Each structure stands twice: as structure tokens, then as C-alpha cells.
Amino acid sequence: MFENIDSLYLVIGLLVVFVIGHFIVQRQKSFKLTLQYRLAFYGLVMMILWFSLPITPSLSTFGYPEDVSDIESKEKLLKYLQRYNVAIVKTTEVVHHMIFITTFWFVAIISSMVKYMKLEKAEK
């Protein structure tokens, strides 16, 4: 039931940051402050995602088997494959979230700019 508890915490954490950020940004009347807050919350979300990456910076740090004796049993081979799989899956999930959030952030910035341009044009 709770196999992906780390993923659940990640999604809940990101959702909390988005909700808090949304309410803070909506209260701002200044375009400059809106952009600054959006950038700050984007940075916070990217830090959360960065820390959710696997501890190993690279798959090569697991170490490759030096010879056949390192993986002579099926259990050792399974252990190697499972560690690689976990790292690949977690990294793929984080990259997926980063791409989605960056796209979402970019659209939010464009939306703020269009809104500001309309208000500025209406004032003239």
C-alpha cells in the first residue's frame, strides 16, 4: 500500500509549495514582485526535486562487477539490477517532474506578462 511513500511525500510537498505560492502571488499588485515570487517558488520547487534525486550522483558509482565471481550467484546479480533499476526510475520521475514544472512555470510567467500588458494598455 505504501510502496511509493517517497513519491507521495514529494507530490504533497510540491502541492503545498504551489498552493502557498499561488496565494502569495495573487496578493501582489506589482508585476515585478509577482515575477520575483514566481522565480523564488520555482527555485524552491527545483531544490525539493534536486534533493529527491537518488543519493548516487551517477549510476557508475554503484560499481561494476570486476569479474564473474562478483555476480556468480543469481542473488548478487539481482541485487545489482535492482539497485540500477531504482536509481533509473527515481531519476526519470524527477526529470519528468522538472520538465512539467518548468513548462508550468514558463506558462505562468507568460500569463502574468500578458495580464500586465493588458492592464497597462487599458490604462492608456
Side-chain angles (χ1 to χ4, degrees):
M1 179 176 170
F2 294 109
E3 304 169 338
N4 296 327
I5 196 80
D6 292 340
S7 297
L8 181 65
Y9 285 144
L10 175 65
V11 170
I12 289 172
L14 293 176
L15 186 62
V16 166
V17 170
F18 278 129
V19 169
I20 291 172
H22 174 73
F23 287 119
I24 289 176
V25 166
Q26 291 301 319
R27 293 177 186 249
Q28 302 305 316
K29 302 295 181 198
S30 167
F31 178 67
K32 183 179 176 182
L33 281 176
T34 299
L35 289 179
Q36 287 175 346
Y37 278 114
R38 286 193 194 275
L39 184 61
F41 282 106
Y42 176 75
L44 181 63
V45 166
M46 287 298 123
M47 281 180 45
I48 290 171
L49 288 173
W50 179 37
F51 287 122
S52 67
L53 280 171
I55 305 246
T56 58
S58 166
L59 291 177
S60 65
T61 58
F62 283 133
Y64 298 110
E66 297 294 326
D67 57 7
V68 178
S69 66
D70 289 341
I71 55 168
E72 58 189 28
S73 70
K74 289 181 181 181
E75 291 83 18
K76 287 183 180 181
L77 179 61
L78 180 63
K79 185 177 176 184
Y80 275 118
L81 293 175
Q82 285 175 337
R83 289 194 329 198
Y84 280 111
N85 189 39
V86 167
I88 290 171
V89 167
K90 199 164 191 177
T91 302
T92 304
E93 286 176 358
V94 170
V95 169
H96 178 263
H97 290 307
M98 283 182 170
I99 291 171
F100 175 75
I101 290 168
T102 301
T103 304
F104 181 77
W105 177 78
F106 186 69
V107 168
I109 293 296
I110 297 296
S111 146
S112 295
M113 290 173 68
V114 167
K115 181 180 171 184
Y116 177 74
M117 297 288 184
K118 282 183 181 178
L119 289 176
E120 191 175 87
K121 198 172 192 178
E123 288 177 0
K124 290 183 181 179

PDB file of all heavy atoms in Angstrom, residues 7-21 41-42 44-50 52 93-94 97-98 100-101:
ATOM      1  N   SER A   7       7.454   9.091  -3.116  1.00  0.00           N
ATOM      2  CA  SER A   7       6.773   9.789  -4.205  1.00  0.00           C
ATOM      3  C   SER A   7       5.564  10.548  -3.677  1.00  0.00           C
ATOM      4  O   SER A   7       5.283  11.662  -4.116  1.00  0.00           O
ATOM      5  CB  SER A   7       6.341   8.824  -5.289  1.00  0.00           C
ATOM      6  OG  SER A   7       7.453   8.210  -5.881  1.00  0.00           O
ATOM      7  N   LEU A   8       4.859   9.963  -2.729  1.00  0.00           N
ATOM      8  CA  LEU A   8       3.698  10.621  -2.139  1.00  0.00           C
ATOM      9  C   LEU A   8       4.119  11.889  -1.405  1.00  0.00           C
ATOM     10  O   LEU A   8       3.503  12.942  -1.563  1.00  0.00           O
ATOM     11  CB  LEU A   8       2.974   9.665  -1.192  1.00  0.00           C
ATOM     12  CG  LEU A   8       1.718  10.207  -0.521  1.00  0.00           C
ATOM     13  CD1 LEU A   8       0.640  10.481  -1.562  1.00  0.00           C
ATOM     14  CD2 LEU A   8       1.231   9.220   0.514  1.00  0.00           C
ATOM     15  N   TYR A   9       5.175  11.813  -0.603  1.00  0.00           N
ATOM     16  CA  TYR A   9       5.682  12.994   0.103  1.00  0.00           C
ATOM     17  C   TYR A   9       6.148  14.054  -0.880  1.00  0.00           C
ATOM     18  O   TYR A   9       5.941  15.253  -0.658  1.00  0.00           O
ATOM     19  CB  TYR A   9       6.829  12.628   1.041  1.00  0.00           C
ATOM     20  CG  TYR A   9       6.391  11.926   2.303  1.00  0.00           C
ATOM     21  CD1 TYR A   9       7.165  10.927   2.862  1.00  0.00           C
ATOM     22  CD2 TYR A   9       5.206  12.265   2.940  1.00  0.00           C
ATOM     23  CE1 TYR A   9       6.770  10.278   4.024  1.00  0.00           C
ATOM     24  CE2 TYR A   9       4.803  11.635   4.097  1.00  0.00           C
ATOM     25  CZ  TYR A   9       5.586  10.640   4.635  1.00  0.00           C
ATOM     26  OH  TYR A   9       5.193  10.006   5.782  1.00  0.00           O
ATOM     27  N   LEU A  10       6.776  13.641  -1.961  1.00  0.00           N
ATOM     28  CA  LEU A  10       7.246  14.584  -2.973  1.00  0.00           C
ATOM     29  C   LEU A  10       6.073  15.329  -3.592  1.00  0.00           C
ATOM     30  O   LEU A  10       6.079  16.562  -3.683  1.00  0.00           O
ATOM     31  CB  LEU A  10       8.039  13.844  -4.055  1.00  0.00           C
ATOM     32  CG  LEU A  10       8.495  14.688  -5.242  1.00  0.00           C
ATOM     33  CD1 LEU A  10       9.499  15.733  -4.798  1.00  0.00           C
ATOM     34  CD2 LEU A  10       9.093  13.796  -6.313  1.00  0.00           C
ATOM     35  N   VAL A  11       5.044  14.619  -3.978  1.00  0.00           N
ATOM     36  CA  VAL A  11       3.878  15.248  -4.600  1.00  0.00           C
ATOM     37  C   VAL A  11       3.174  16.165  -3.607  1.00  0.00           C
ATOM     38  O   VAL A  11       2.775  17.288  -3.954  1.00  0.00           O
ATOM     39  CB  VAL A  11       2.918  14.173  -5.154  1.00  0.00           C
ATOM     40  CG1 VAL A  11       1.602  14.778  -5.587  1.00  0.00           C
ATOM     41  CG2 VAL A  11       3.568  13.435  -6.301  1.00  0.00           C
ATOM     42  N   ILE A  12       3.027  15.726  -2.364  1.00  0.00           N
ATOM     43  CA  ILE A  12       2.380  16.560  -1.342  1.00  0.00           C
ATOM     44  C   ILE A  12       3.210  17.819  -1.086  1.00  0.00           C
ATOM     45  O   ILE A  12       2.661  18.923  -0.987  1.00  0.00           O
ATOM     46  CB  ILE A  12       2.147  15.762  -0.044  1.00  0.00           C
ATOM     47  CG1 ILE A  12       1.049  14.723  -0.262  1.00  0.00           C
ATOM     48  CG2 ILE A  12       1.768  16.690   1.112  1.00  0.00           C
ATOM     49  CD1 ILE A  12       0.870  13.751   0.887  1.00  0.00           C
ATOM     50  N   GLY A  13       4.520  17.668  -0.996  1.00  0.00           N
ATOM     51  CA  GLY A  13       5.392  18.823  -0.787  1.00  0.00           C
ATOM     52  C   GLY A  13       5.301  19.821  -1.927  1.00  0.00           C
ATOM     53  O   GLY A  13       5.209  21.041  -1.699  1.00  0.00           O
ATOM     54  N   LEU A  14       5.310  19.339  -3.149  1.00  0.00           N
ATOM     55  CA  LEU A  14       5.201  20.227  -4.303  1.00  0.00           C
ATOM     56  C   LEU A  14       3.840  20.913  -4.336  1.00  0.00           C
ATOM     57  O   LEU A  14       3.742  22.108  -4.643  1.00  0.00           O
ATOM     58  CB  LEU A  14       5.437  19.443  -5.593  1.00  0.00           C
ATOM     59  CG  LEU A  14       6.849  18.891  -5.793  1.00  0.00           C
ATOM     60  CD1 LEU A  14       6.905  18.053  -7.058  1.00  0.00           C
ATOM     61  CD2 LEU A  14       7.876  20.000  -5.826  1.00  0.00           C
ATOM     62  N   LEU A  15       2.795  20.176  -4.010  1.00  0.00           N
ATOM     63  CA  LEU A  15       1.455  20.750  -3.989  1.00  0.00           C
ATOM     64  C   LEU A  15       1.351  21.857  -2.943  1.00  0.00           C
ATOM     65  O   LEU A  15       0.764  22.915  -3.202  1.00  0.00           O
ATOM     66  CB  LEU A  15       0.421  19.653  -3.723  1.00  0.00           C
ATOM     67  CG  LEU A  15      -1.038  20.059  -3.818  1.00  0.00           C
ATOM     68  CD1 LEU A  15      -1.366  20.531  -5.224  1.00  0.00           C
ATOM     69  CD2 LEU A  15      -1.931  18.897  -3.432  1.00  0.00           C
ATOM     70  N   VAL A  16       1.918  21.638  -1.776  1.00  0.00           N
ATOM     71  CA  VAL A  16       1.902  22.655  -0.720  1.00  0.00           C
ATOM     72  C   VAL A  16       2.622  23.916  -1.187  1.00  0.00           C
ATOM     73  O   VAL A  16       2.128  25.041  -1.006  1.00  0.00           O
ATOM     74  CB  VAL A  16       2.523  22.096   0.585  1.00  0.00           C
ATOM     75  CG1 VAL A  16       2.819  23.201   1.571  1.00  0.00           C
ATOM     76  CG2 VAL A  16       1.607  21.064   1.197  1.00  0.00           C
ATOM     77  N   VAL A  17       3.793  23.754  -1.798  1.00  0.00           N
ATOM     78  CA  VAL A  17       4.547  24.914  -2.285  1.00  0.00           C
ATOM     79  C   VAL A  17       3.741  25.653  -3.353  1.00  0.00           C
ATOM     80  O   VAL A  17       3.679  26.889  -3.361  1.00  0.00           O
ATOM     81  CB  VAL A  17       5.926  24.486  -2.833  1.00  0.00           C
ATOM     82  CG1 VAL A  17       6.606  25.630  -3.547  1.00  0.00           C
ATOM     83  CG2 VAL A  17       6.803  23.990  -1.694  1.00  0.00           C
ATOM     84  N   PHE A  18       3.096  24.930  -4.261  1.00  0.00           N
ATOM     85  CA  PHE A  18       2.297  25.571  -5.302  1.00  0.00           C
ATOM     86  C   PHE A  18       1.119  26.344  -4.722  1.00  0.00           C
ATOM     87  O   PHE A  18       0.829  27.460  -5.143  1.00  0.00           O
ATOM     88  CB  PHE A  18       1.795  24.556  -6.325  1.00  0.00           C
ATOM     89  CG  PHE A  18       2.792  24.203  -7.371  1.00  0.00           C
ATOM     90  CD1 PHE A  18       3.082  22.887  -7.637  1.00  0.00           C
ATOM     91  CD2 PHE A  18       3.449  25.181  -8.097  1.00  0.00           C
ATOM     92  CE1 PHE A  18       4.000  22.546  -8.605  1.00  0.00           C
ATOM     93  CE2 PHE A  18       4.367  24.867  -9.067  1.00  0.00           C
ATOM     94  CZ  PHE A  18       4.649  23.540  -9.327  1.00  0.00           C
ATOM     95  N   VAL A  19       0.429  25.755  -3.765  1.00  0.00           N
ATOM     96  CA  VAL A  19      -0.742  26.415  -3.178  1.00  0.00           C
ATOM     97  C   VAL A  19      -0.318  27.673  -2.421  1.00  0.00           C
ATOM     98  O   VAL A  19      -0.914  28.743  -2.596  1.00  0.00           O
ATOM     99  CB  VAL A  19      -1.522  25.438  -2.267  1.00  0.00           C
ATOM    100  CG1 VAL A  19      -2.567  26.160  -1.435  1.00  0.00           C
ATOM    101  CG2 VAL A  19      -2.164  24.346  -3.101  1.00  0.00           C
ATOM    102  N   ILE A  20       0.703  27.564  -1.592  1.00  0.00           N
ATOM    103  CA  ILE A  20       1.185  28.734  -0.847  1.00  0.00           C
ATOM    104  C   ILE A  20       1.676  29.798  -1.819  1.00  0.00           C
ATOM    105  O   ILE A  20       1.360  30.986  -1.673  1.00  0.00           O
ATOM    106  CB  ILE A  20       2.295  28.318   0.149  1.00  0.00           C
ATOM    107  CG1 ILE A  20       1.698  27.479   1.269  1.00  0.00           C
ATOM    108  CG2 ILE A  20       2.994  29.550   0.719  1.00  0.00           C
ATOM    109  CD1 ILE A  20       2.729  26.854   2.188  1.00  0.00           C
ATOM    110  N   GLY A  21       2.443  29.381  -2.815  1.00  0.00           N
ATOM    111  CA  GLY A  21       2.946  30.327  -3.811  1.00  0.00           C
ATOM    112  C   GLY A  21       1.827  31.011  -4.572  1.00  0.00           C
ATOM    113  O   GLY A  21       1.880  32.213  -4.832  1.00  0.00           O
ATOM    114  N   PHE A  41       9.634  30.765  -5.816  1.00  0.00           N
ATOM    115  CA  PHE A  41       8.941  29.490  -5.608  1.00  0.00           C
ATOM    116  C   PHE A  41       9.390  28.436  -6.612  1.00  0.00           C
ATOM    117  O   PHE A  41       9.451  27.256  -6.288  1.00  0.00           O
ATOM    118  CB  PHE A  41       7.419  29.677  -5.636  1.00  0.00           C
ATOM    119  CG  PHE A  41       6.893  30.247  -4.355  1.00  0.00           C
ATOM    120  CD1 PHE A  41       6.471  31.561  -4.286  1.00  0.00           C
ATOM    121  CD2 PHE A  41       6.847  29.478  -3.205  1.00  0.00           C
ATOM    122  CE1 PHE A  41       6.011  32.095  -3.107  1.00  0.00           C
ATOM    123  CE2 PHE A  41       6.387  29.995  -2.017  1.00  0.00           C
ATOM    124  CZ  PHE A  41       5.968  31.314  -1.961  1.00  0.00           C
ATOM    125  N   TYR A  42       9.720  28.866  -7.813  1.00  0.00           N
ATOM    126  CA  TYR A  42      10.278  27.934  -8.798  1.00  0.00           C
ATOM    127  C   TYR A  42      11.606  27.371  -8.284  1.00  0.00           C
ATOM    128  O   TYR A  42      11.851  26.174  -8.349  1.00  0.00           O
ATOM    129  CB  TYR A  42      10.475  28.638 -10.145  1.00  0.00           C
ATOM    130  CG  TYR A  42      11.132  27.786 -11.193  1.00  0.00           C
ATOM    131  CD1 TYR A  42      10.429  26.775 -11.832  1.00  0.00           C
ATOM    132  CD2 TYR A  42      12.457  27.978 -11.551  1.00  0.00           C
ATOM    133  CE1 TYR A  42      11.024  25.991 -12.799  1.00  0.00           C
ATOM    134  CE2 TYR A  42      13.061  27.199 -12.520  1.00  0.00           C
ATOM    135  CZ  TYR A  42      12.330  26.212 -13.136  1.00  0.00           C
ATOM    136  OH  TYR A  42      12.927  25.427 -14.090  1.00  0.00           O
ATOM    137  N   LEU A  44      12.518  27.103  -5.167  1.00  0.00           N
ATOM    138  CA  LEU A  44      12.217  26.227  -4.031  1.00  0.00           C
ATOM    139  C   LEU A  44      11.769  24.851  -4.520  1.00  0.00           C
ATOM    140  O   LEU A  44      12.218  23.818  -4.012  1.00  0.00           O
ATOM    141  CB  LEU A  44      11.135  26.864  -3.158  1.00  0.00           C
ATOM    142  CG  LEU A  44      10.729  26.095  -1.910  1.00  0.00           C
ATOM    143  CD1 LEU A  44      11.899  25.979  -0.950  1.00  0.00           C
ATOM    144  CD2 LEU A  44       9.558  26.786  -1.241  1.00  0.00           C
ATOM    145  N   VAL A  45      10.916  24.823  -5.532  1.00  0.00           N
ATOM    146  CA  VAL A  45      10.447  23.549  -6.076  1.00  0.00           C
ATOM    147  C   VAL A  45      11.607  22.777  -6.703  1.00  0.00           C
ATOM    148  O   VAL A  45      11.728  21.558  -6.529  1.00  0.00           O
ATOM    149  CB  VAL A  45       9.312  23.787  -7.097  1.00  0.00           C
ATOM    150  CG1 VAL A  45       9.037  22.560  -7.918  1.00  0.00           C
ATOM    151  CG2 VAL A  45       8.054  24.235  -6.377  1.00  0.00           C
ATOM    152  N   MET A  46      12.477  23.473  -7.422  1.00  0.00           N
ATOM    153  CA  MET A  46      13.629  22.797  -8.035  1.00  0.00           C
ATOM    154  C   MET A  46      14.571  22.231  -6.973  1.00  0.00           C
ATOM    155  O   MET A  46      15.149  21.157  -7.150  1.00  0.00           O
ATOM    156  CB  MET A  46      14.397  23.742  -8.965  1.00  0.00           C
ATOM    157  CG  MET A  46      13.684  24.048 -10.258  1.00  0.00           C
ATOM    158  SD  MET A  46      13.421  22.587 -11.269  1.00  0.00           S
ATOM    159  CE  MET A  46      11.663  22.603 -11.458  1.00  0.00           C
ATOM    160  N   MET A  47      14.703  22.930  -5.843  1.00  0.00           N
ATOM    161  CA  MET A  47      15.529  22.394  -4.752  1.00  0.00           C
ATOM    162  C   MET A  47      14.901  21.135  -4.164  1.00  0.00           C
ATOM    163  O   MET A  47      15.609  20.167  -3.858  1.00  0.00           O
ATOM    164  CB  MET A  47      15.730  23.452  -3.661  1.00  0.00           C
ATOM    165  CG  MET A  47      16.780  24.468  -4.006  1.00  0.00           C
ATOM    166  SD  MET A  47      17.040  25.726  -2.733  1.00  0.00           S
ATOM    167  CE  MET A  47      17.103  24.802  -1.247  1.00  0.00           C
ATOM    168  N   ILE A  48      13.583  21.138  -3.993  1.00  0.00           N
ATOM    169  CA  ILE A  48      12.898  19.947  -3.482  1.00  0.00           C
ATOM    170  C   ILE A  48      13.141  18.775  -4.419  1.00  0.00           C
ATOM    171  O   ILE A  48      13.449  17.660  -3.991  1.00  0.00           O
ATOM    172  CB  ILE A  48      11.387  20.213  -3.309  1.00  0.00           C
ATOM    173  CG1 ILE A  48      11.141  21.184  -2.160  1.00  0.00           C
ATOM    174  CG2 ILE A  48      10.628  18.906  -3.070  1.00  0.00           C
ATOM    175  CD1 ILE A  48       9.711  21.674  -2.065  1.00  0.00           C
ATOM    176  N   LEU A  49      13.010  19.028  -5.720  1.00  0.00           N
ATOM    177  CA  LEU A  49      13.239  17.959  -6.690  1.00  0.00           C
ATOM    178  C   LEU A  49      14.699  17.519  -6.699  1.00  0.00           C
ATOM    179  O   LEU A  49      14.999  16.334  -6.851  1.00  0.00           O
ATOM    180  CB  LEU A  49      12.806  18.412  -8.087  1.00  0.00           C
ATOM    181  CG  LEU A  49      11.305  18.520  -8.286  1.00  0.00           C
ATOM    182  CD1 LEU A  49      10.998  19.143  -9.631  1.00  0.00           C
ATOM    183  CD2 LEU A  49      10.646  17.167  -8.159  1.00  0.00           C
ATOM    184  N   TRP A  50      15.604  18.460  -6.554  1.00  0.00           N
ATOM    185  CA  TRP A  50      17.028  18.130  -6.545  1.00  0.00           C
ATOM    186  C   TRP A  50      17.345  17.187  -5.386  1.00  0.00           C
ATOM    187  O   TRP A  50      18.075  16.208  -5.541  1.00  0.00           O
ATOM    188  CB  TRP A  50      17.843  19.408  -6.457  1.00  0.00           C
ATOM    189  CG  TRP A  50      19.317  19.217  -6.420  1.00  0.00           C
ATOM    190  CD1 TRP A  50      20.054  18.290  -7.104  1.00  0.00           C
ATOM    191  CD2 TRP A  50      20.237  19.974  -5.660  1.00  0.00           C
ATOM    192  NE1 TRP A  50      21.387  18.442  -6.811  1.00  0.00           N
ATOM    193  CE2 TRP A  50      21.532  19.469  -5.933  1.00  0.00           C
ATOM    194  CE3 TRP A  50      20.116  21.045  -4.789  1.00  0.00           C
ATOM    195  CZ2 TRP A  50      22.675  19.994  -5.346  1.00  0.00           C
ATOM    196  CZ3 TRP A  50      21.267  21.571  -4.227  1.00  0.00           C
ATOM    197  CH2 TRP A  50      22.518  21.040  -4.509  1.00  0.00           C
ATOM    198  N   SER A  52      15.350  15.184  -4.022  1.00  0.00           N
ATOM    199  CA  SER A  52      14.665  13.910  -4.158  1.00  0.00           C
ATOM    200  C   SER A  52      15.336  12.989  -5.172  1.00  0.00           C
ATOM    201  O   SER A  52      14.889  11.863  -5.360  1.00  0.00           O
ATOM    202  CB  SER A  52      13.207  14.127  -4.533  1.00  0.00           C
ATOM    203  OG  SER A  52      13.103  14.664  -5.827  1.00  0.00           O
ATOM    204  N   GLU A  93      11.630   9.872 -12.824  1.00  0.00           N
ATOM    205  CA  GLU A  93      10.488  10.560 -12.216  1.00  0.00           C
ATOM    206  C   GLU A  93      10.810  12.019 -11.917  1.00  0.00           C
ATOM    207  O   GLU A  93      10.011  12.911 -12.198  1.00  0.00           O
ATOM    208  CB  GLU A  93      10.070   9.865 -10.925  1.00  0.00           C
ATOM    209  CG  GLU A  93       9.357   8.562 -11.107  1.00  0.00           C
ATOM    210  CD  GLU A  93       9.064   7.871  -9.783  1.00  0.00           C
ATOM    211  OE1 GLU A  93       9.460   8.390  -8.714  1.00  0.00           O
ATOM    212  OE2 GLU A  93       8.424   6.804  -9.816  1.00  0.00           O
ATOM    213  N   VAL A  94      11.988  12.264 -11.353  1.00  0.00           N
ATOM    214  CA  VAL A  94      12.368  13.633 -11.011  1.00  0.00           C
ATOM    215  C   VAL A  94      12.519  14.483 -12.270  1.00  0.00           C
ATOM    216  O   VAL A  94      12.062  15.625 -12.311  1.00  0.00           O
ATOM    217  CB  VAL A  94      13.655  13.646 -10.154  1.00  0.00           C
ATOM    218  CG1 VAL A  94      14.196  15.046 -10.008  1.00  0.00           C
ATOM    219  CG2 VAL A  94      13.369  13.044  -8.790  1.00  0.00           C
ATOM    220  N   HIS A  97       9.092  15.390 -13.502  1.00  0.00           N
ATOM    221  CA  HIS A  97       8.519  16.479 -12.703  1.00  0.00           C
ATOM    222  C   HIS A  97       9.176  17.812 -13.040  1.00  0.00           C
ATOM    223  O   HIS A  97       8.494  18.839 -13.129  1.00  0.00           O
ATOM    224  CB  HIS A  97       8.655  16.199 -11.208  1.00  0.00           C
ATOM    225  CG  HIS A  97       7.797  15.090 -10.713  1.00  0.00           C
ATOM    226  ND1 HIS A  97       6.446  15.018 -10.924  1.00  0.00           N
ATOM    227  CD2 HIS A  97       8.104  13.983  -9.983  1.00  0.00           C
ATOM    228  CE1 HIS A  97       5.949  13.935 -10.357  1.00  0.00           C
ATOM    229  NE2 HIS A  97       6.942  13.280  -9.779  1.00  0.00           N
ATOM    230  N   MET A  98      10.491  17.811 -13.208  1.00  0.00           N
ATOM    231  CA  MET A  98      11.196  19.060 -13.526  1.00  0.00           C
ATOM    232  C   MET A  98      10.735  19.638 -14.862  1.00  0.00           C
ATOM    233  O   MET A  98      10.538  20.849 -14.981  1.00  0.00           O
ATOM    234  CB  MET A  98      12.705  18.834 -13.543  1.00  0.00           C
ATOM    235  CG  MET A  98      13.327  18.748 -12.199  1.00  0.00           C
ATOM    236  SD  MET A  98      15.103  18.536 -12.339  1.00  0.00           S
ATOM    237  CE  MET A  98      15.599  18.759 -10.656  1.00  0.00           C
ATOM    238  N   PHE A 100       7.814  19.119 -16.358  1.00  0.00           N
ATOM    239  CA  PHE A 100       6.438  19.582 -16.195  1.00  0.00           C
ATOM    240  C   PHE A 100       6.395  20.907 -15.447  1.00  0.00           C
ATOM    241  O   PHE A 100       5.702  21.842 -15.852  1.00  0.00           O
ATOM    242  CB  PHE A 100       5.604  18.527 -15.462  1.00  0.00           C
ATOM    243  CG  PHE A 100       4.216  18.991 -15.159  1.00  0.00           C
ATOM    244  CD1 PHE A 100       3.265  19.056 -16.166  1.00  0.00           C
ATOM    245  CD2 PHE A 100       3.874  19.375 -13.874  1.00  0.00           C
ATOM    246  CE1 PHE A 100       1.981  19.499 -15.889  1.00  0.00           C
ATOM    247  CE2 PHE A 100       2.595  19.825 -13.592  1.00  0.00           C
ATOM    248  CZ  PHE A 100       1.647  19.884 -14.602  1.00  0.00           C
ATOM    249  N   ILE A 101       7.127  21.007 -14.356  1.00  0.00           N
ATOM    250  CA  ILE A 101       7.092  22.225 -13.536  1.00  0.00           C
ATOM    251  C   ILE A 101       7.718  23.394 -14.281  1.00  0.00           C
ATOM    252  O   ILE A 101       7.230  24.525 -14.202  1.00  0.00           O
ATOM    253  CB  ILE A 101       7.767  21.973 -12.176  1.00  0.00           C
ATOM    254  CG1 ILE A 101       6.881  21.040 -11.365  1.00  0.00           C
ATOM    255  CG2 ILE A 101       8.023  23.270 -11.427  1.00  0.00           C
ATOM    256  CD1 ILE A 101       7.529  20.477 -10.133  1.00  0.00           C
TER     257      ILE A 101
END
